[in-house]
Every structure is written in C-alpha cells, then in structure tokens.
Amino acid sequence: MTRRTVILTTNPGIEDIVVWEAEAKLSAEAIEVRSGHGRVLVSVDEKKIYLVEQLRSIHRAKLLLARNGICGSQDCLRKVYEVVAASGVEKYVTPYTSFAVRAERVGEHDFSSLDVARVAGDAVIDAVRRAYGERPPVDLDYPAVVVSVDVIHDEIYVSIELGGEMSWHRRGYRIYDHPAALKPTLAYAMILMSDVVDGDTLMDPMCGGGTVAIEAAMLLEHSRIICMDRSRRHIAGARLNAKAALVENRIRFIVGDATRLSSYVEDVDVVVSNPPYGIRMGSPREVRRVYREFLREAVNVVKKSIVLITTEHKTVRRVLEEHGWRITHARKVAHGNLYPYIVVAKPG
Ligand SMILES: C[S@@+](CC[C@H](N)C(=O)[O-])C[C@H]1O[C@@H](n2cnc3c(N)ncnc32)[C@H](O)[C@@H]1O
C-alpha cells in the first residue's frame, strides 16, 4: 500500500472535524493539524484518495508533491524554483496538459504571491521541457491541472489541486443565495457537534436559505428536518435550494417566528442554527431581545442540544444558564470577516 500526503483546507476553527471525517471516510491518519489556520495534512492510501470528494467539511484537497522547510528570507524565490522543479510535477503536467500555478503566501516576505506564481510557473515549464522536450501550455482561465504553491512562513508546499479550480464547500445546490448564508462546511460541523443521531428531529428555526437543513437532510437519512424562517422569501429560496439538493421531500418548511417557537413545534431533539448577528442587524438591543425570547422558547421545546453560531455568545450563555442549561462546548471560528463562536448547549 502506497500512502500519499494530502493537504485538506477548511474553514479556520473546524480542523478537528476534518481530521475526524478523513479518518472515518478515507482511513486517513493525521500528520499535522494547523488549528485555527484551516490546514490539515493527512496520510492516505493512494487507492482511497478519490474518496476525498465525499468529505463535507473541506474547502480544498491537494496532493502534496514536495515540502521544504528552508525557505529563509534570502533567496526564497530561487528556493521556490528549485523545490518546484524537483517535485515530480511533470508526472501531472505534460506538453498536452494545460496548467496554471496558484500561489498562496502567509507571513512576512519581501515578495508577493504573484512573484511565487511566476517563478513556480517557470519551474514547471522547465521540468516538463526536460522530461518531454516540449513545454506545456499555460491556461490561467481554464487549466486542466492546477499546481498549488504555498509559502507558509518559511516553508514551501508544492501540490496538485485534486478538485481543479473547484472549492468543495461551494455545493451545487445554492440556487437561492441568501445574503447572510452560512458556509456549508460550518453547517456540517455544527450538525456533528450537536450529537444528533439518525432518526432524531433536527430544526433550524432561523434557517434562511436552508443550508443547515439541507446539510442535515443529506447526512441523516431517517431524521425529520424542519426549516423555519420568518421571511417568506427566504423560505421560498430554501425550498428551491432543497429541491436542487434533491432533499426537498425530507424537509418541512415553515414561515414562522422563532421567538414563538412553541406555537409551531412541540418537541425537537436538536436545534442547529445561525441566528442573525447583532453587528449585521444594526440594533444590538433588538438582537438581544430576539435571542432572549427565542432561547426562552427553545429550552422548553428542545430535548438534547442547541448549537448556535453567533457573535452574541455571551447573551446566549447568560440566557441558557438562567434556564438551567449548560454550555458544553464553545469555539471561535472564522466566518467571512467575522469571528463568531459555535456554542453547544445541553439541558441540566
Ligand atoms: C444569518 S441568517 C441565516 C442564514 C442561513 N443559515 C443560510 O445559510 O442561508 C438569519 C436568518 O434569521 C431569520 N430571522 C431573524 N429573526 C427571526 C425570527 N424571529 N424568527 C425566524 N427567523 C428569523 C432571518 O430572516 C434570516 O434569514
């Protein structure tokens, strides 16, 4: 069995979920977890690499060709050239395969990621020319193969993008684009954190375009899933998205007010939700009122757990503790340019 190293990238804050999923679905072994940086390196049996497309918690997957940790401040670009040229990239890029280099740079350097891409591109061309006597075509718009070169502080990583230009968190079902949509990878992570089991009832009472409900319906074959929002337009959009994801029949859609939750549902096992953030709603007082009233209802309706992603985590903690619930887990994640918390609460 030949094992290869795969770099999995994700939303910063859910690296442990990626490791769990890769272990479960690919029998992968974690090599390095850069918590808070959205990067996980795993070792995978070569024959199972194609299964990366089943991972719901990743943004990208890249097959590592070379890694070199001696890119000092001086002459780093020359080192980039050498590492790329010696990486074996010509096994993936040939004179008949168009390619593009995508470069990422993290840390303080006196060169830009464009410089890295340019130098790495030259190295790929030279490696292919050496191997085949001809140069490969460059296609920056629609490349057949994407060579990824990341300079992270003083380390250089050369890899091949396994999904080409595709980012795997962009699920094909997003027909209706909610203005504050949650990343599906975060929705998936939150569902796992709720400890829901297949057959439980899961509700998102402020479901917007339906991301949580759709991810839940795809994960839980036998569960009842409820997607509620006070906006009729968002519920229509969520329905469209669910239809595109082929799970419309698995979800009950309700136009309703989460601050009166008990008038729509009697009991649900778990609530997983992405309520509005105060910073986006404009009025902190109004947002706290919505949270207070929603949670006061939720504690009477929910049996197992409430999982929220929110910038209002202090209000959430205070209100839930007032009602005798415990916060069993809280973690900061990146969500766009905000850093909300995922909070997990349980009764008692
Ligand atoms: C951050 S968005 C949810 C986005 C959703 N997770 C997605 O991926 O599309 C918050 C949603 O809460 C809804 N909302 C706000 N107050 C509500 C209330 N009292 N009852 C029900 N929904 C509410 C808004 O209409 C909005 O769609």
Side-chain angles (χ1 to χ4, degrees), residues 174 178 180-182 205-211 229-231 234 256-259 274-276 290:
R174 277 271 171 90
H178 187 285
L182 184 63
M206 302 190 218
C207 69
T211 315
D229 200 286
R230 70 176 175 194
S231 154
H234 293 331
D257 181 352
T259 63
N274 165 214
V290 170

Side-chain angles (χ1 to χ4, degrees), residues 306-322:
I306 299 175
V307 181
L308 303 179
I309 182 167
T310 178
T311 49
E312 315 302 322
H313 52 280
K314 289 189 184 142
T315 303
V316 168
R317 179 184 286 271
R318 200 180 50 247
V319 176
L320 283 172
E321 286 178 354
E322 274 165 23

Side-chain angles (χ1 to χ4, degrees), residues 127-267:
V128 172
R129 198 186 272 135
R130 251 194 333 272
Y132 303 93
E134 271 180 73
R135 57 174 286 160
V138 175
D139 187 337
L140 296 182
D141 297 322
Y142 303 104
V145 175
V146 178
V147 179
S148 166
V149 180
D150 301 332
V151 177
I152 313 259
H153 301 292
D154 60 354
E155 287 209 280
I156 306 168
Y157 298 80
V158 182
S159 54
I160 298 292
E161 290 273 6
L162 290 172
E165 298 282 32
M166 183 177 69
S167 183
W168 293 359
H169 74 283
R170 293 195 200 290
R171 315 283 205 248
Y173 59 69
R174 277 271 171 90
I175 291 183
Y176 174 71
D177 203 7
H178 187 285
L182 184 63
K183 282 221 181 87
T185 40
L186 285 174
Y188 177 81
M190 290 167 65
I191 294 164
L192 292 189
M193 288 180 208
S194 74
D195 286 338
V196 66
V197 294
D198 202 1
D200 282 350
T201 301
L202 181 146
M203 178 173 194
D204 179 351
M206 302 190 218
C207 69
T211 315
V212 169
I214 293 168
E215 291 295 317
M218 292 195 295
L219 180 69
L220 308 164
E221 275 177 47
H222 306 289
S223 285
R224 201 161 65 96
I225 316 283
I226 306 167
C227 176
M228 182 169 99
D229 200 286
R230 70 176 175 194
S231 154
R232 194 168 289 280
R233 186 164 56 94
H234 293 331
I235 285 296
R239 206 184 268 282
L240 271 181
N241 288 343
K243 194 168 180 178
L246 304 179
V247 291
E248 190 193 9
N249 299 336
R250 301 277 325 287
I251 302 174
R252 182 177 158 213
F253 295 93
I254 306 174
V255 177
D257 181 352
T259 63
R260 296 192 299 114
L261 193 62
S262 59
S263 43
Y264 305 95
V265 286
E266 272 177 15
D267 59 61

